[in-house]
Amino acid sequence: MTDEEAAAIPDGSLLALTSLRPLEPLRGKQVLVYGAAGSIGTGGVQLLAHHFEAEVTAVCDTKDVELVRSLGARDVLDRLSEDFTRNGETYDVIFDAVGKHSFRRCRRSLRPDGVYISMDLGFMYHVPLLALATRFAGSRRAKLGIGWYRKEDLVLVKELVEAGTYRPVIDRSYALDEIVEATRYVETGQKTGNVVLRVSEAERGERAPA
């Protein structure tokens, strides 16, 4: 792989992997990934389909539908034309990879004993409180996704890459001195997959210790 491709792998994949693992076993489960075209979302779709062996429904923007389908999603919903919370379908897990939905809105789309897991603390940091409350009340639970960066998990992802069942998704790459422009683009919320910063050989030499 190129350096850019390798750099685009660990972040989204490891955050998705370690957030979803506590929900195992997921084989055969119906899992919806909201924000499926982002860094964590593209990682989550691939891991769910090829590692956890779940039945994946993905939600993304129109422009990303075919890409996300190619990553292993069984069904892909265009969020701009269909609201998954109103179509009558239910899921064992709803993985909010961008933290822009809510347990309240997703609750009716969860099956009994279903789990809504968000990668964001939520408005006024309410998700951890919901996670605590739903442990003791009701049949549907909310959880906060907590990512870890561990060697054994990176080795697992490496093996998936080598097996051809995981690939990086790169939207754009920028030179290191374009970091402000890169950050502005990421903050638009329109990126697909990852944005990579390039550190050239010249820049490495300039920063090398004497």
Side-chain angles (χ1 to χ4, degrees), residues 18 32 35 43 53 60 64 67 83 87-89 93 96 104 106 115 125 137 146 151 156 169 182 198 200 207:
T18 55
L32 180 137
E53 299 182 330
C60 61
D64 298 315
L67 166 69
D83 184 348
N87 65 11
E89 298 292 332
V93 177
D96 185 355
R104 180 180 62 82
C106 294
V115 178
Y125 309 104
I146 299 176
K151 179 180 178 180
L156 186 153
V169 177
R198 298 189 309 274
S200 71
R207 289 164 174 77

Side-chain angles (χ1 to χ4, degrees), residues 76-186:
V76 184
L77 307 180
D78 181 347
R79 76 172 185 90
L80 301 178
S81 61
E82 183 173 358
D83 184 348
F84 77 88
T85 65
R86 296 176 180 271
N87 65 11
E89 298 292 332
T90 57
Y91 306 92
D92 298 296
V93 177
I94 295 176
F95 180 40
D96 185 355
V98 286
K100 291 185 178 179
H101 233 288
S102 69
F103 177 70
R104 180 180 62 82
R105 290 181 60 195
C106 294
R107 189 175 182 278
R108 291 182 181 178
S109 298
L110 285 171
R111 295 175 176 179
D113 297 320
V115 178
Y116 166 80
I117 181 166
S118 176
M119 295 304 296
D120 188 83
L121 290 167
F123 179 68
M124 298 294 288
Y125 309 104
H126 73 280
V127 173
L129 297 176
L130 264 177
L132 181 62
T134 57
R135 285 183 63 186
F136 304 103
S139 64
R140 297 166 178 86
R141 293 177 293 141
K143 290 180 68 69
L144 176 65
I146 299 176
W148 299 90
Y149 297 90
R150 297 182 294 205
K151 179 180 178 180
E152 56 266 34
D153 293 327
L154 187 58
V155 170
L156 186 153
V157 174
K158 170 182 174 287
E159 291 170 351
L160 295 175
V161 171
E162 292 173 341
T165 55
Y166 192 97
R167 61 184 172 92
V169 177
I170 299 174
D171 187 331
R172 299 182 183 182
S173 61
Y174 293 84
L176 188 59
D177 60 6
E178 298 174 313
I179 189 169
V180 173
E181 182 181 348
T183 302
R184 286 174 179 160
Y185 176 61
V186 170

